[in-house]
Amino acid sequence: MIKKMIMDETRLKEVLELSKIGLPETEFKEVLDRVNGVLRMCDEMQELNFANTRSFEWNIKKACPRRVDSPKKWDKRDAFLNQAPVRDGDFFRVPRIIALDEDNELIGD
Amino acid sequence: MEFYKLSAKEIADGVRGKKWTAKEVLTSFLTRIKTCDSKLNAVVTLCEKNAHEDAKKLDEAIARGETLGLLAGVPFLVKDNFCTDGIRTTCASKMLHDWIPSYDATAIKNMKMAGAILMGKTNMDEFAMGNTTESSIFGPTLNPRDLTRVPGGSSGGSAAAVAAGYCPIALGSDTGGSIRQPAAFCGVQGMKPSYGQISRYGIVGYVSSLDQIGPITRNINDMAIVMDVLAKADENDSTCDAYDRPSFSAAVKKTDLKGKKIAVLTGFDKECVDKSLLDAINTTVQFCCEAGAEIIEVNLPTANKHAVACYYMIALGDASSKLACYDGMRYGYHEDGKNLFEMYKKSRNKGFGNEVRRRILIGTCILTRGYYENYYVPAVKVRQMIADEYADLFKTVDALICPISPTLPYKKGYVEDDSATIYLRDVFTSTANLAGLPSISLNVGFTPEGLPTNIQLLGPRFDDENLLSIASVIENYAGSPSVADLSVEGVL
């Protein structure tokens, strides 16, 4: 049984943080209308009785053979590294995951 | 020689028989693209140098008397979400605007091994999220049958390219109708094969459990040849089944439907479907009867009523998870920030367009506590109910006929009031993805205004050859679509 839910502004702010997406407050109403429109569409699934239905999974006719897990020569290392958003020599450059802000508080905790 | 009017088979036969060279064919198609595409905007990247090198190698192989593949010298285009070695793959997004993969997708490798020549990449909705090809960073693609209308999406560039005679074959991907709906809108043939039929290694996916790739062509015979080339096991894609495939080309030789039982879908609101598309179904049913098929009507209540909701719960939830890797650090467009999280936000905000961000937001919401239990988990169960409904149907019938889209191609820039209404456009196509079924979008004619009319055929999973066979017989009656007359539209 589906419990009808809607998304409100508080929840939207949480979701924006989780999805690492920013949104100006002026667009909140439009996005909430759209999200709740989709949720309302899904509320109709309530009428189905799926208590005894298993979750979906694929059947296969013949499993694909797995490739041998062994190192192979590859001459495109440099081309690959060039695709790094920020390259530093032979490495991808990344920011600190744990850092301190101006007040010596942990960021990202 | 008007190569653009020929089928892939005719081109390959001519190359093998030395009636013309691969270079002549390629040059002719490239000229057509360069002449017409400033208006249509179906192609986002041309790889002329590589294509000329491949054509030269092929012509040299012919001169040495080597045996050539099924698609010898046939130029083709692919949607810009297929990885292509050394050629940018953007997904029509700023997020990947300069990303150059260092390997070919398995489908590209198989096409090249069969002798086909990659000419370039086609326009699409950003990250395959949309059904109009208007959300691309490269701007919208126009429908070659009517420039005031959209080509459909998300593989709109591929469908428009085939309709415009840029190539006899283009490849697309289909998560909820993204091959079949644009094929229908552009008046060509498109196929979403069974889930597990073709390797998806090297495709920038959107929803792994729904995505499939497939061909867009102007006739079913070419489609069957492409299926022979693409449908094989791949050690790089564990979801690609390893069963022994039949010959798809051999399956399209039949001329009748004797002994076949074909169902026609009922139970949906016919008021919501354009009359010319309902007429197309009635005409097709007449063809099938004349060809000896038995016709019955069926209602699939769960699929009819709940497929779109179920589809969007699964698609958006999975998409938000899948697109998490585009954070400006592991992949994609990068903006500096004063810490990691600001950098993520800035990169994703500027890298993704509106529709993609909206879908990620809804998807993230669906996967959060409370919503996950109340929406996502039930959707996965409803998906099984829909798959069971189809499995029961296909115990007694060979194929199902229903519409592709409720409407003819929309006018450019047409916007529905809300997302739910827009998403309902996928009502007839999303079920094949949910249940993993093969499905073909078949052009069966045009309205007096010149807009394409079409039907959708669905069959049991891994019975793709039977579906192609039925489509081929119907095409014999309806005729295969010709190249769009671009001079009428002022493109030429």
Side-chain angles (χ1 to χ4, degrees):
Chain A
M1 190 73 164
I2 295 176
K3 187 175 138 195
K4 286 185 184 179
M5 298 176 85
I6 57 158
M7 191 191 231
D8 57 20
E9 206 171 301
T10 310
R11 188 66 168 212
L12 176 61
K13 285 178 180 167
E14 289 169 8
V15 170
L16 285 166
E17 279 303 311
L18 281 170
S19 58
K20 306 285 182 290
I21 284 189
L23 192 71
E25 293 213 8
T26 50
E27 290 180 31
F28 276 19
K29 187 182 176 306
E30 186 201 338
V31 168
L32 282 172
D33 285 349
R34 286 177 183 271
V35 173
N36 288 322
V38 172
L39 292 178
R40 275 196 301 276
M41 180 174 78
C42 297
D43 285 336
E44 288 191 3
M45 284 195 292
Q46 276 194 92
E47 66 191 49
L48 292 170
N49 178 5
F50 38 71
N52 296 319
T53 305
R54 65 191 186 282
S55 293
F56 179 83
E57 60 183 53
W58 289 112
N59 297 319
I60 50 169
K61 289 177 94 169
K62 187 178 173 187
C64 217
R66 301 289 171 89
R67 63 179 182 269
V68 180
D69 187 13
S70 59
K72 286 178 191 165
K73 280 204 162 184
W74 194 52
D75 59 0
K76 293 185 175 168
R77 186 168 176 275
D78 212 50
F80 180 77
L81 279 166
N82 276 340
Q83 298 307 308
V86 188
R87 182 180 175 176
D88 185 356
D90 282 350
F91 299 95
F92 278 43
R93 187 173 184 85
V94 298
R96 281 176 189 277
I97 292 174
I98 298 173
L100 298 177
D101 66 13
E102 304 88 52
D103 304 320
N104 263 1
E105 294 290 326
L106 273 179
I107 295 169
D109 196 14
Chain B
M1 183 69 195
E2 292 178 313
F3 290 114
Y4 71 94
K5 289 184 177 173
L6 300 184
S7 67
K9 184 175 187 311
E10 287 167 331
I11 290 171
D13 286 347
V15 169
R16 273 192 295 265
K18 299 184 183 176
K19 275 171 81 176
W20 43 69
T21 64
K23 184 182 167 59
E24 284 173 324
V25 174
L26 174 66
T27 305
S28 166
F29 278 105
L30 286 172
T31 304
R32 185 168 175 86
I33 294 171
K34 285 191 268 187
T35 307
C36 304
D37 210 48
S38 57
K39 274 204 173 169
L40 286 185
N41 197 31
V43 178
V44 299
T45 305
L46 269 184
C47 41
E48 282 186 78
K49 188 168 169 272
N50 294 8
H52 278 298
E53 282 169 10
D54 290 346
K56 186 168 174 264
K57 281 181 198 161
L58 197 91
D59 286 331
E60 287 167 356
I62 294 168
R64 289 194 298 271
E66 290 178 18
T67 308
L68 299 173
L70 288 170
L71 295 171
V74 176
F76 74 108
L77 293 162
V78 295
K79 187 175 181 177
D80 205 20
N81 61 350
F82 285 63
C83 286
T84 41
D85 190 359
I87 301 160
R88 71 173 178 170
T89 297
T90 68
C91 289
S93 177
K94 185 174 179 180
M95 186 55 88
L96 290 174
H97 71 290
D98 58 356
W99 184 56
I100 301 175
S102 47
Y103 68 100
D104 275 336
T106 298
I108 303 286
K109 269 189 190 166
N110 286 338
M111 289 292 282
K112 287 180 174 176
M113 277 173 63
I117 293 170
L118 177 66
M119 293 190 295
K121 316 289 291 282
T122 56
N123 206 0
M124 57 186 281
D125 281 300
E126 184 181 5
F127 276 99
M129 295 182 185
N131 50 28
T132 62
T133 314
E134 290 177 301
S135 68
S136 162
I137 45 157
F138 301 103
T141 296
L142 306 184
N143 189 324
R145 306 282 179 190
D146 178 345
L147 298 189
T148 66
R149 292 173 191 268
V150 300
S154 63
S155 310
S158 289
V162 172
Y166 290 1
C167 53
I169 297 166
L171 302 183
S173 66
D174 189 314
T175 306
S178 284
I179 287 174
R180 292 160 288 157
Q181 184 254 25
F185 276 19
C186 292
V188 290
Q189 323 293 41
M191 180 174 192
K192 183 205 87 70
S194 296
Y195 187 84
Q197 187 67 266
I198 296 178
S199 167
R200 300 167 307 158
Y201 177 68
I203 309 302
V204 183
Y206 161 23
V207 186
S208 186
S209 76
L210 298 170
D211 292 336
Q212 186 50 273
I213 61 169
I216 297 172
T217 61
R218 286 192 303 275
N219 66 72
I220 296 297
N221 195 38
D222 280 356
M223 188 179 275
I225 294 171
V226 179
M227 286 295 290
D228 280 334
V229 168
L230 295 183
K232 44 192 71 162
D234 179 13
E235 63 174 14
N236 289 321
D237 180 0
S238 61
T239 65
C240 186
D241 207 283
Y243 84 102
D244 290 329
R245 272 78 168 168
S247 163
F248 298 97
S249 301
V252 297
K253 307 280 186 226
K254 286 190 77 171
T255 54
D256 65 59
L257 297 175
K258 283 175 188 152
K260 300 285 185 197
K261 195 169 178 181
I262 297 177
V264 181
L265 186 69
T266 62
F268 58 90
D269 185 357
K270 291 191 174 169
E271 293 294 313
C272 295
V273 179
D274 191 279
K275 186 180 174 302
S276 60
L277 298 173
L278 294 173
D279 290 345
I281 288 178
N282 292 334
T283 308
T284 305
V285 167
Q286 278 176 16
F287 292 153
C288 292
C289 288
E290 284 173 37
E294 180 189 348
I295 303 290
I296 61 163
E297 290 191 339
V298 294
N299 184 8
L300 299 169
T302 310
N304 278 352
K305 189 157 187 191
H306 301 291
V308 173
C310 172
Y311 167 75
Y312 274 98
M313 284 296 109
I314 290 167
L316 300 183
D318 289 10
S320 83
S321 163
K322 187 128 191 160
L323 270 59
C325 67
Y326 300 102
D327 55 13
M329 188 48 54
R330 286 171 290 176
Y331 288 99
Y333 176 81
H334 174 84
E335 281 263 327
D336 283 329
K338 64 181 182 217
N339 59 48
L340 183 72
F341 297 98
E342 190 183 278
M343 186 277 295
Y344 282 161
K345 266 192 186 175
K346 277 184 161 182
S347 301
R348 285 164 69 79
N349 266 355
K350 293 203 176 169
F352 289 132
N354 283 342
E355 180 62 19
V356 175
R357 281 190 292 145
R358 188 178 304 135
R359 290 195 189 201
I360 290 173
L361 274 180
I362 301 173
T364 308
C365 167
I366 290 161
L367 296 183
T368 56
R369 196 172 59 191
Y371 294 85
Y372 177 80
E373 292 81 3
N374 279 301
Y375 289 96
Y376 189 85
V377 172
V380 175
K381 293 190 172 199
V382 173
R383 182 177 187 181
Q384 186 62 52
M385 292 172 82
I386 291 170
D388 288 344
E389 200 168 67
Y390 276 98
D392 285 345
L393 170 71
F394 289 126
K395 280 178 189 163
T396 54
V397 308
D398 297 287
L400 172 71
I401 294 176
C402 65
I404 293 277
S405 160
T407 67
L408 293 166
Y410 334 118
K411 288 279 185 185
K412 286 186 296 184
Y414 176 70
V415 182
E416 293 278 7
D417 292 340
D418 64 280
S419 294
T421 312
I422 295 168
Y423 298 157
L424 281 170
R425 292 168 174 176
D426 300 323
V427 63
F428 297 114
T429 47
S430 54
T431 53
N433 302 78
L434 288 169
L437 309 175
S439 169
I440 293 174
S441 166
L442 192 65
N443 175 269
V444 291
F446 291 85
T447 64
E449 297 76 34
L451 295 175
T453 56
N454 40 71
I455 58 135
Q456 179 175 208
L457 279 172
L458 295 101
R461 186 161 174 231
F462 292 126
D463 200 17
D464 304 51
E465 66 280 8
N466 186 39
L467 201 66
L468 281 161
S469 169
I470 293 170
S472 152
V473 174
I474 296 172
E475 188 186 61
N476 286 343
Y477 279 85
S480 53
S482 53
V483 173
D485 187 347
L486 298 180
S487 59
V488 171
E489 295 294 334
V491 176
L492 267 176

